[in-house]
Amino acid sequence: MANMERKIIRIDADRCDGCGLCAQACHEGAIAMVDGKAKLVREDHCDGLGDCLPACPTGAITFEVRQAPAYDPAAVARTQAAQAIPASCACPGSQARTLSQSVAPCAMPASAPAASCLAQWPVQIKLAPLRAPYFDGAHLLIAADCTAYAYGAFHRDFMAGRVTLIGCPKLDEGDYRDKLTQLLLANDIRSVTVVRMEVPCCGGIQRAVQQAVAGSEKAIPLQVVVLSADGRILQGR
């Protein structure tokens, strides 16, 4: 299809936080998550109407006028038909995927168990107290609960030396923001590390922590690490 000058979206990769909301808002399938970032993968699927713009929390999406393939509604219809899945599986984070793993690190003998680096209990955000001695002066790890299963050395590389809290923004009721804001206000937290998966729904835990740090009005260093479903670090570290 020949190019033409028309209005089309532009995604600023530096401002994209990988939340995936724009990909969910784009019903034409023009946007996809690639290595933890939103990317315009099908220019001929972008109708230039910008349903994705208000969904973006960081302002990473804007309009521009440039040479691009014409919008192709027939191609969009074919893509939508090919990607159709049952409503119960509509969340990108719940789609079935087969992962290829190296056998060696995933088949350690029972005679040589790895040491646990868990520093406290409970670990679930909803169950954690607002005040506890282990929070004073702590480096806090807030992780989506799938991350420890995807990343084989999770204890060693992320939990060691940190107090760990876990949650799933899709399955847990309510928002973590208020609880985490109160926790940060009540304790001397030295730093916060967020570890999340690449799937869009996992962006909820990142946003909650970012809002909690801002709400605490404390200068707490914050790092975000994004993992792929096969255990690669896509962002951070």
Side-chain angles (χ1 to χ4, degrees):
M1 183 175 295
N3 283 2
M4 60 181 294
E5 189 171 278
R6 69 182 186 94
K7 186 169 69 172
I8 195 169
I9 65 161
R10 176 181 180 276
I11 302 175
D12 185 340
D14 291 334
R15 299 183 68 176
C16 175
D17 66 1
C19 71
L21 294 176
C22 59
Q24 296 180 45
C26 179
H27 304 298
E28 291 77 21
I31 301 173
M33 302 305 295
V34 179
D35 291 338
K37 296 282 188 175
K39 185 175 181 180
L40 178 59
V41 293
R42 290 294 302 265
E43 293 184 343
D44 63 331
H45 283 35
C46 178
D47 59 12
L49 298 179
D51 288 344
C52 53
L53 267 72
C56 180
T58 65
I61 303 178
T62 56
F63 281 123
E64 65 178 355
V65 176
R66 61 174 175 82
Q67 290 289 320
Y71 174 62
D72 188 345
V76 170
R78 290 193 296 270
T79 297
Q80 290 173 332
Q83 295 180 346
I85 53 176
S88 61
C89 300
C91 171
S94 63
Q95 293 181 23
R97 298 171 64 180
T98 299
L99 307 178
S100 177
Q101 298 285 12
S102 171
V103 174
C106 300
M108 297 295 291
S111 59
S116 172
C117 295
L118 183 62
Q120 93 296 331
W121 187 269
V123 296
Q124 232 289 340
I125 296 173
K126 296 289 188 178
L127 300 179
L130 291 178
R131 284 284 296 135
Y134 49 74
F135 283 134
D136 289 328
H139 295 280
L140 187 61
L141 170 66
I142 301 178
D145 50 15
C146 294
T147 56
Y149 294 94
Y151 190 85
F154 193 82
H155 277 244
R156 183 195 67 198
D157 290 354
F158 293 111
M159 290 174 60
R162 296 186 175 99
V163 170
T164 302
L165 296 178
I166 65 169
C168 176
K170 185 172 181 64
L171 300 181
D172 290 343
E173 294 183 1
D175 190 348
Y176 302 130
R177 178 184 56 187
D178 293 340
K179 172 76 175 279
L180 294 175
T181 301
Q182 294 177 55
L183 190 151
L184 295 178
L185 286 169
N187 300 278
D188 176 26
I189 301 297
R190 299 296 178 84
S191 70
V192 179
T193 299
V194 176
V195 183
R196 51 159 291 194
M197 300 301 296
E198 63 179 325
V199 295
C201 53
C202 220
I205 200 166
Q206 176 181 340
R207 290 191 298 277
V209 175
Q210 290 171 331
Q211 292 167 356
V213 171
S216 74
E217 299 184 346
K218 294 183 178 181
I220 302 175
L222 172 62
Q223 177 190 24
V224 177
V225 178
V226 180
L227 302 179
S228 68
D230 58 0
R232 292 174 293 118
I233 295 178
L234 302 178
Q235 176 184 324
R237 297 286 289 185

